[in-house]
Amino acid sequence: DEIVKMTELDLKTIDAIAVAKGPGSFTGLRIGSATAKGLGLALDKPLVGIPTVEALAYNLYDVNGLICPIMDARRKQVYTGLYSFSHEVKDGTHLTEAAFHVEEQQMAIAVEELISKLNAYKRPVVFLGDGVPVFTAYIEENCKVPYSFAPAHVNKQRAAAVAALGEEYYKAGKLESAEEHKPEYLRLSQAERERMEQHGNS
């Protein structure tokens, strides 16, 4: 309500609602999804579910090389994906707008496996996300390709990146109904893992 008042926005005029659909904090994802679903149902508007790691990569719009967001998933694992941007030359002199490419979909993997993947790509890479300070030492010791770390002001999740990528996906028709939308956790919660361990995975 406060944002609507501040921006003098009529919610009925929006086209869709972009929401980060995960991975991330289980509670945070549920709250975000419930809010987006509620608005979508009330306004009869579609949702654009944005993978959290893709939105994080979109912070680095139009950088060269691979973009590798890493979110600390604990247990020496990261939530990650691999992304890049490209251009085409138009009219012989002008570049088209940067096109966002998903090289590898978001996943939960061991940091060792991620660095092995990056070494196999043999392309420069930029790291960002809350996993950077956790795994900096490992990256420095094991990454064989040229790499760098994103500066602090674009290193974390930003709602603006979710919205900007949401607009692109809306134009591409990547929509879902409020009823269809659900978070993507990528891993079981700690409570679910502990319950499975107690019951012998049954």
Side-chain angles (χ1 to χ4, degrees):
D1 286 346
E2 287 300 313
I3 292 171
V4 167
K5 288 172 190 169
M6 287 167 59
T7 58
E8 298 181 351
L9 174 69
D10 179 356
L11 282 174
K12 292 176 184 173
T13 65
I14 66 173
D15 297 307
I17 298 158
V19 58
K21 67 178 180 180
S25 147
F26 283 80
T27 303
L29 290 176
R30 287 184 181 119
I31 291 169
S33 284
T35 303
K37 284 169 76 75
L39 286 169
L41 288 167
L43 298 169
D44 193 24
K45 301 291 182 180
L47 269 55
V48 186
I50 304 296
T52 307
V53 182
E54 286 185 28
L56 190 50
Y58 209 69
N59 283 358
L60 301 185
Y61 182 82
D62 204 15
V63 303
N64 291 319
L66 288 173
I67 304 168
C68 182
I70 49 175
M71 295 168 59
D72 184 13
R74 315 292 181 197
R75 299 183 170 193
K76 295 184 179 178
Q77 283 199 325
V78 291
Y79 297 124
T80 189
L82 296 177
Y83 309 92
S84 65
F85 287 92
S86 69
H87 287 279
E88 291 180 7
V89 178
K90 188 170 75 172
D91 303 327
T93 54
H94 295 87
L95 291 175
T96 58
E97 285 190 23
F100 183 62
H101 301 286
V102 178
E103 304 283 348
E104 296 205 24
Q105 298 279 355
Q106 64 177 16
M107 63 192 113
I109 61 171
V111 69
E112 294 93 337
E113 186 180 346
L114 171 62
I115 299 304
S116 293
K117 275 180 179 287
L118 290 170
N119 288 339
Y121 267 89
K122 297 182 180 177
R123 292 169 64 183
V125 59
V126 183
F127 293 97
L128 73 160
D130 65 14
V132 167
V134 179
F135 297 109
T136 295
Y138 186 87
I139 291 168
E140 290 174 344
E141 289 170 18
N142 297 281
C143 194
K144 307 300 183 192
V145 295
Y147 66 86
S148 60
F149 300 110
H153 70 289
V154 288
N155 191 45
K156 298 292 192 306
Q157 286 88 355
R158 301 165 76 195
V162 173
L165 190 53
E167 183 179 6
E168 294 303 310
Y169 283 3
Y170 174 80
K171 291 175 184 173
K174 297 181 181 179
L175 305 172
E176 58 188 346
S177 69
E179 292 92 342
E180 291 169 328
H181 174 78
K182 57 185 176 182
E184 287 183 9
Y185 300 112
L186 291 190
R187 281 199 338 194
L188 295 174
S189 69
Q190 182 177 348
E192 289 169 315
R193 289 198 304 270
E194 290 174 356
R195 187 179 68 212
M196 288 178 70
E197 287 165 9
Q198 288 173 355
H199 297 303
N201 296 333
S202 58

